[in-house]
């Protein structure tokens, strides 16, 4: 078939038209096209755990800082609520990537590598990274002096990347920390010879009384930006950009910076926390809150674990072979996984594979504690039942009692007596295991302590208070269990 020139031209023009239309449809809307309106009532925003002056708790236990104030101002401007979570830097990054959080503002540098997985806002603060050593250190004068020394750094940061990139050149070793407080404490006790962190953060800590100095100039590290997971929540970026521009135009942005950078208002108002009485009078509420969360997590998970564990334990002695195999399988798998791995898996890994299974940090924590304890409880139940002589089951069955009746009336009453001390023991272990859940950012007692230390640097006193609190609660529980044991006997 011959197509005339005219027809060919028409075909070509309509083909081009179709391609242009398709391209227009396929091109994602530019930031300016995105309607600057929230799409949800509440957005979850992840921040660092403590990164003063960008996010930290003031002496009233309230989170403040440049990141916090900027985010609050912008959310107010556009009429959406924010649920702020403070799990620490790398955890905040993970939460956004796993879809647990909608955005991250954490004194986070805009870098090319991060742009692969995040969409960033316009820059809101220029930063640099810097090395800090103890005030009285005279041996570190130039970068070459770091040879053979150990340097502390926070996981996932631009400082960490710089240290890795320059390790061969300067020959130091690197120790990685999850949070800034731990890293700064490590320098204080000389576990590391130097730290690397962002200059504004280091200098703020020095102004607050950390006995550090920065022997070298800072290294440029770009600008901080607010970020979302690539391709997600574009309206958040649009609102942040437009909001930031408004805050800058109105002078509010400068006021926020001056509030934290100029002489530090938060610090001026601070009560003396260098004494036990100052520490307690200023933090008792937070400490009790933390203790409350610890006890609640332990209790809820233990009750659930008792139900689940007893069920699994009963299956392990059931006449059915399938039931016994299932029970062994369950116990082996759960017991074979460290609690922290289980918690990370439930909180970070699961939602990436199955987005519907997005759990809050607290729920994931309680679930991890429950599963973990249930395996041990199943073993206690199995052990208790097996400790009752088998002759009793046989005798009872030969008298015509059913398996279930024999279990209920004869075996279990004796077995429970044997189990009680082990249950109490397991509860104490579960209560102590709640500290592991702090890695998910749950502000239980230990995490409360870490946050207080990050503010006032009183590690010895704060951790002593926390240790005593655990000790008191656990001793009281043990005493109570002794009474319980007698009652059951
Ligand atoms: N400034 C760090 C970074 O951009 C983040 C932080 O430590 N919060 O890597």
């Amino acid at each position: 078939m011959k197509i005339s020139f005219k027809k060919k031209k028409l075909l070509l023009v309509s083909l081009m038209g179709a391609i242009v239309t398709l391209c227009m449809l396929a091109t994602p809307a530019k930031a300016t096209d995105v309607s600057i309106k929230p799409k949800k009532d509440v957005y979850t925003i992840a921040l660092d755990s403590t990164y003063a002056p960008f996010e930290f708790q003031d002496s009233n236990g309230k989170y403040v800082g440049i990141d916090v104030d900027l985010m609050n101002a912008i959310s107010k401007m556009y009429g959406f609520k924010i649920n702020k979570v403070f799990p620490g830097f790398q955890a905040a990054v993970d939460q956004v990537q796993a879809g647990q959080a909608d955005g991250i503002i954490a004194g986070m540098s805009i870098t090319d590598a991060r742009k692969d997985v995040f969409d960033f806002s316009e820059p809101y603060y220029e930063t640099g990274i810097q090395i800090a050593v103890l005030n009285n250190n005279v041996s570190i004068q130039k970068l070459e002096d770091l040879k053979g020394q150990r340097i502390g750094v926070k996981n996932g940061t631009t400082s960490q990347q710089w240290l890795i990139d320059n390790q061969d050149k300067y020959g130091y070793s690197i120790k990685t920390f999850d949070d800034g407080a731990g890293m700064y404490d490590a320098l204080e006790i000389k576990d590391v010879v130097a730290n690397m962190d962002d200059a504004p953060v280091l200098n703020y800590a020095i102004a607050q009384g950390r006995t550090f100095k920065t022997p070298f100039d800072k290294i440029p590290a770009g600008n901080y930006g607010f970020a979302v997971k690539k391709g997600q929540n574009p309206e958040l970026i649009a609102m942040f950009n437009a909001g930031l521009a408004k805050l800058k135009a109105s002078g509010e942005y400068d006021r926020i910076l001056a509030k934290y950078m100029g002489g530090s208002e938060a610090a001026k108002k601070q009560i003396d926390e260098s004494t036990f009485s100052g520490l307690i009078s200023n933090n008792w509420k937070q400490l009790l809150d933390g203790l409350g969360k610890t006890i609640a997590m332990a209790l809820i998970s233990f009750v659930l674990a008792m139900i689940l564990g007893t069920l699994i334990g009963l299956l392990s002695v059931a006449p059915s072979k399938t039931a016994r195999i299932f029970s062994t399988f369950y116990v082996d798998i759960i017991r074979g996984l460290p609690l922290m791995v289980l918690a990370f898996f439930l909180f970070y890994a699961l939602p990436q594979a199955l987005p519907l299974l997005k759990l809050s940090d607290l729920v994931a924590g309680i679930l991890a504690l429950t599963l973990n304890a249930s395996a041990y409880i199943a073993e206690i139940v199995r052990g208790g039942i097996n400790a009752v002589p088998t002759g009793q089951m046989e005798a009872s069955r030969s008298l015509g009692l059913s398996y279930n009746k024999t279990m209920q009336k004869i075996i279990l009453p004796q077995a429970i007596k044997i189990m009680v001390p082990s249950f109490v023991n397991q509860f104490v272990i579960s209560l102590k295991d709640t500290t592991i859940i702090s890695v998910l950012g749950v502000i239980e007692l230990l995490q409360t302590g870490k946050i207080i230390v990050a503010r006032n640097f009183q590690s010895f006193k704060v951790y002593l208070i926390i240790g005593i609190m655990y000790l008191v609660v656990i001793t009281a529980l043990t005493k109570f269990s002794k009474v319980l044991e007698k009652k059951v006997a």
Side-chain angles (χ1 to χ4, degrees):
M1 197 179 65
K2 250 197 154 179
I3 303 173
S4 71
F5 177 70
K6 228 179 169 179
K7 266 194 184 156
K8 256 190 199 163
K9 211 167 134 189
L10 201 74
L11 211 70
L12 205 73
V13 169
S14 39
L15 201 72
M16 272 164 63
I19 290 173
V20 170
T21 322
L22 268 176
C23 283
M24 267 161 59
L25 284 176
T27 319
K30 283 198 213 91
T32 46
D33 298 333
V34 175
S35 62
I36 305 191
K37 252 197 312 205
K39 290 215 176 105
K40 297 202 265 186
D41 295 336
V42 186
Y43 286 97
T44 300
I45 305 295
L47 296 93
D48 204 336
S49 52
T50 26
Y51 205 50
F54 295 93
E55 48 257 29
F56 61 106
Q57 281 192 352
D58 67 9
S59 44
N60 300 317
K62 205 179 120 208
Y63 263 105
V64 292
I66 296 169
D67 288 347
V68 176
D69 285 12
L70 282 179
M71 219 51 229
N72 283 345
I74 290 168
S75 73
K76 216 186 260 160
M77 217 181 271
Y78 291 97
F80 61 91
K81 290 202 186 70
I82 33 181
N83 165 32
K84 291 186 221 84
V85 289
F86 299 87
F89 183 67
Q90 183 56 44
V93 165
D94 292 343
Q95 288 199 13
V96 175
Q97 287 305 322
Q100 311 271 11
D102 300 302
I104 172 170
I105 183 160
M108 180 186 188
S109 287
I110 303 170
T111 66
D112 286 339
R114 287 175 180 163
K115 277 190 201 157
D116 287 343
V117 288
F118 286 104
D119 286 331
F120 278 97
S121 70
E122 296 294 328
Y124 68 86
Y125 191 87
E126 196 188 326
T127 189
I129 47 181
Q130 211 164 12
I131 297 266
V133 295
L134 285 177
N135 249 345
N136 54 13
N137 181 324
V138 286
S139 59
I140 310 262
Q141 311 273 1
K142 50 190 183 315
L143 283 166
E144 284 71 17
D145 296 335
L146 293 168
K147 194 177 170 73
Q149 304 289 3
R150 184 149 69 159
I151 308 184
V153 75
K154 200 167 62 182
N155 197 18
T157 59
T158 46
S159 298
Q160 184 189 37
Q161 196 54 53
W162 189 92
L163 286 177
I164 292 171
D165 292 345
N166 290 279
Q167 188 164 21
D168 287 345
K169 188 164 161 201
Y170 297 113
Y172 44 71
S173 65
I174 303 171
K175 180 163 179 180
T176 308
F177 295 84
D178 276 336
D179 63 317
M183 171 174 91
Y184 284 27
D185 281 347
L187 178 54
E188 204 92 65
I189 61 162
K190 296 186 182 155
D191 174 43
V192 292
V193 167
N195 274 338
M196 190 169 210
D197 201 353
D198 283 38
V201 176
L202 265 178
N203 291 315
Y204 186 87
I206 291 170
Q208 295 293 298
R210 282 282 192 191
T211 49
F212 305 159
K213 63 181 177 189
T214 49
F216 329 117
D217 285 345
K218 64 179 179 194
I219 300 154
N223 287 287
Y224 290 158
F226 167 75
V228 294
K229 186 175 177 178
K230 205 169 181 62
Q232 310 269 303
N233 305 304
E235 75 280 8
L236 265 179
I237 294 290
M239 289 188 289
F240 190 92
N241 286 341
L244 181 66
K246 282 189 203 165
L247 292 174
K248 280 189 174 162
S250 69
E252 182 58 20
Y253 171 84
D254 288 333
R255 268 194 293 279
I256 292 175
L257 285 200
K259 179 169 158 195
Y260 295 104
M261 297 297 206
S264 156
E265 194 178 293
K268 268 186 249 147
K269 274 194 268 161
Q270 223 161 65
I271 300 164
D272 180 20
E273 291 195 331
S274 60
T275 62
F276 274 107
S277 61
L279 257 179
I280 292 172
S281 73
N282 213 25
N283 296 297
W284 65 271
K285 251 205 191 127
Q286 282 156 266
L287 289 168
L288 286 185
D289 273 358
L291 181 65
K293 214 172 234 167
T294 289
I295 294 179
M297 278 206 297
L299 275 178
I300 296 172
S301 63
F302 191 72
V303 169
L304 295 176
M306 277 296 277
I307 299 170
L308 188 61
T310 307
L311 221 79
I312 305 279
L314 286 175
L315 289 184
S316 73
V317 294
S320 148
K321 195 171 173 196
T322 330
R324 291 201 304 271
I325 291 178
F326 170 79
S327 157
T328 315
F329 216 66
Y330 179 90
V331 171
D332 282 352
I333 289 181
I334 300 285
R335 241 188 358 190
L337 286 172
L339 176 55
M340 206 189 287
V341 175
L342 196 60
F344 274 180
F345 185 80
L346 290 172
F347 189 54
Y348 294 116
L350 213 53
Q352 215 168 50
L354 305 162
L356 278 181
L357 284 179
K358 208 166 85 182
L359 307 173
S360 74
D361 50 9
L362 193 62
V363 173
I366 289 176
L367 196 60
L369 287 167
T370 301
L371 291 176
N372 182 63
S374 71
Y376 294 98
I377 289 173
E379 282 299 277
I380 296 172
V381 170
R382 189 177 63 87
I385 292 173
N386 284 342
V388 179
T390 40
Q392 298 205 12
M393 175 62 92
E394 284 155 17
S396 163
R397 295 301 299 272
S398 67
L399 286 175
L401 257 71
S402 70
Y403 174 83
N404 286 347
K405 267 263 138 37
T406 311
M407 248 314 159
Q408 249 178 44
K409 301 269 174 220
I410 304 193
I411 312 287
L412 281 182
Q414 303 175 63
I416 287 172
K417 253 184 253 174
I418 305 170
M419 295 174 203
V420 167
S422 306
F423 285 150
V424 174
N425 196 35
Q426 183 55 44
F427 181 67
V428 170
I429 293 174
S430 287
L431 192 114
K432 291 198 274 192
D433 278 352
T434 54
T435 50
I436 291 178
I437 304 305
S438 66
V439 295
L440 301 185
V442 175
I443 306 185
E444 40 66 76
L445 187 54
L446 177 62
Q447 183 76 355
T448 306
K450 282 199 217 164
I451 292 168
I452 296 173
V453 171
R455 187 183 69 226
N456 61 25
F457 320 131
Q458 300 290 334
S459 342
F460 175 71
K461 293 193 181 87
V462 173
Y463 291 132
L464 189 64
I465 292 174
I466 285 190
I468 291 172
M469 286 174 80
Y470 277 113
L471 206 63
V472 168
V473 171
I474 289 168
T475 313
L477 273 172
T478 323
K479 290 273 171 291
F480 169 74
S481 70
K482 283 270 166 334
V483 177
L484 198 77
E485 242 179 272
K486 272 206 191 106
K487 273 231 166 91
V488 175

